[in-house]
Amino acid sequence: MENGYIRILQILWKYKYFYGPLMCLSILTYLFVYKEGARQTKPGLEFPEASPPFKLLPEKKYKSMFLYNDIWLGPKNYCECVQKDKEQIYQLDNYIDKDKLASVTKRREKEFKDYQRRYSYQKKDVLVAQPNVPLSYPIQGAEVMPLHTIVIPGLSFHGENTEKQKVTLEASFGTLDTLADVPQDVMNGRGMKKLIISTAHVDLLNHILKHVTYTSTEYLLDTVDIVNFTTGDHHVKFPVTIRQPYMPKLFDPGPDNNIRNLVTITTKTFFRYHKLRILIKSIRKFYPDITIIVADDSEHPEKIEEPNVEHFIMPFAKGWFAGRNLAISQVTTKYYLWVDDDFVFTEKTKIEEFVAVLENTNLDVVGGAVQGNDYKFRVIYEEGEDSSCVHLRFGSYHRLEGFPHCVVTSGVVNFFLARTEESRCIGFDPKLLRVAHSEYFVDGLGRLRVGSCYHVDVGHQPHDPAKDLEERKAEHTYSKFRANTQEQVQFKLALQFFKNRMKCFSQG
């Protein structure tokens, strides 16, 4: 046996120059096949060459992505409010009578479709510029006013001269033409929705394209016309937006830019005239001639006869937000400062600090602190196919650039300076009679830009019982109307179910 092994080794040695390379090749082939097989079968790895179907991340994995405040804001067509920690959850359909829920929901959806139609809320098609096309065109920025004409920017052809180059542009809501003076056989469809250019000369083609015009022929507001731009096998689309700019409504601050000509102080009172008079007295200490507007829905109004105080009487118990609407409707300055009637101005109540923020940023509202409490919150909105979810979370998003004491948020405390015109556009829902505040900022979501600055502070009058008998009676009557009843809560949540098309609401 041993002699046999020796004989085999002698033969292999004799032919070493043949079998050696062969064995090396065999070993390399084995290693490549083994390693490649291991690579292809390794769990969790996918390669472009792999056969379909391609895999997506496991649900557990992608549900851990795109989280904000533990709310998943990834791509989806539904929303929900999930109980976590001590958050308050309101499922709004629970506040609608069960026998009326179906009909109320049907009416709500009909109104929502009308809202979409009127405000062009429908989601627009996504336009992707295809690579390696010989056409230049505007991705955005081509805007025209209704019935006006513009030269479409950025149109050009980047190909070579050919026997005959045919370029077509086609619009839906307007007509096309060119300012270029060219022979009739080069152009077809001038002043029509479809314009055809035929030429073998690239320079001439680009001269025409550089001066192509779009004319809006219908009185449309906030509408996007998707224009088709075609040559040969190349076909692209680009948007032309038909938009009527808003008519500016400006407030004259006067030649000296005095705070009195910039800001009006507004408040609402109900029975608590003793509190209101303390507030007015504190304001006069720091702002002697600023205008104060008081909305009053007390049962037996008392006269407030003081210089630069405008006192408006309302029907009895008309409500908190109705009072705000009335007060703000009478403001004639660029800004108004909202305060409660039981606040008190101090050395830290510097309206000028608020004005500086609004004058130098794009914010619409800036809040402060009430006796050190700069209550502020974020409004997180989730959209679903059937309705939406709204989540209120305390805090802010980020610092306000240029103002180290200020942050950007969604809602602030009942002490804020706001742009008068923007507030009027949103309004305070007069159906909300009692405790209501955050509802205004929910209504203004997407329109109001809000900030909070903790270094501007207003005081709060003591909660101690009044010593005067009449004042105690007024406080007692006020407290009966001030508290939110279960009926009022039910009404408010049912209102949001329909008005804001909300499915649920969470707060924490």
Side-chain angles (χ1 to χ4, degrees), residues 266-305:
T266 56
T267 190
K268 180 190 173 295
T269 197
F270 186 63
F271 285 100
R272 301 190 300 181
Y273 291 104
H274 56 294
K275 299 282 189 184
L276 175 63
R277 288 189 171 92
I278 293 173
L279 169 66
I280 294 173
K281 184 178 180 180
S282 72
I283 293 173
R284 290 293 174 241
K285 181 178 179 181
F286 300 98
Y287 300 96
D289 59 352
I290 199 167
T291 299
I292 303 170
I293 293 178
V294 179
D296 183 356
D297 61 346
S298 302
E299 186 173 14
H300 303 291
E302 297 180 12
K303 285 187 177 182
I304 304 295
E305 295 180 326

Side-chain angles (χ1 to χ4, degrees), residues 101-242:
L101 180 60
S103 62
V104 171
T105 302
K106 184 177 180 180
R107 290 201 312 274
R108 185 186 73 169
E109 294 312 295
K110 178 179 178 295
E111 291 299 315
F112 181 65
K113 287 179 181 178
D114 182 60
Y115 170 84
Q116 289 179 311
R117 177 182 59 79
R118 292 178 58 241
Y119 291 98
S120 302
Y121 188 71
Q122 297 93 334
K123 293 181 179 177
K124 306 296 187 299
D125 293 335
V126 176
L127 298 180
V128 179
Q130 299 299 317
N132 302 320
V133 297
L135 301 173
S136 291
Y137 52 96
I139 293 294
Q140 64 178 20
E143 291 196 4
V144 61
M145 288 192 289
L147 309 180
H148 284 60
T149 298
I150 61 165
V151 175
I152 300 176
L155 296 182
S156 62
F157 174 77
H158 298 274
E160 298 178 354
N161 289 325
T162 61
E163 291 183 3
K164 199 80 167 180
Q165 188 70 43
K166 181 180 177 181
V167 174
T168 302
L169 292 111
E170 187 170 7
S172 298
F173 303 128
T175 58
L176 301 163
D177 210 323
T178 182
L179 300 178
D181 184 6
V182 294
Q184 288 185 349
D185 61 338
V186 175
M187 300 281 298
N188 185 21
R190 298 187 72 148
M192 308 293 288
K193 290 187 176 182
K194 188 173 184 179
L195 181 68
I196 301 173
I197 309 168
S198 301
T199 179
H201 303 286
V202 172
D203 289 343
L204 176 60
L205 174 59
N206 280 325
H207 173 65
I208 296 168
L209 290 174
K210 184 179 179 181
H211 298 93
V212 167
T213 62
Y214 178 98
T215 300
S216 165
T217 56
E218 301 179 51
Y219 192 79
L220 302 171
L221 304 178
D222 292 322
T223 299
V224 178
D225 193 348
I226 304 301
V227 179
N228 292 288
F229 188 16
T230 305
T231 180
D233 295 330
H234 303 292
H235 180 202
V236 299
K237 297 173 183 282
F238 63 86
V240 174
T241 302
I242 304 168

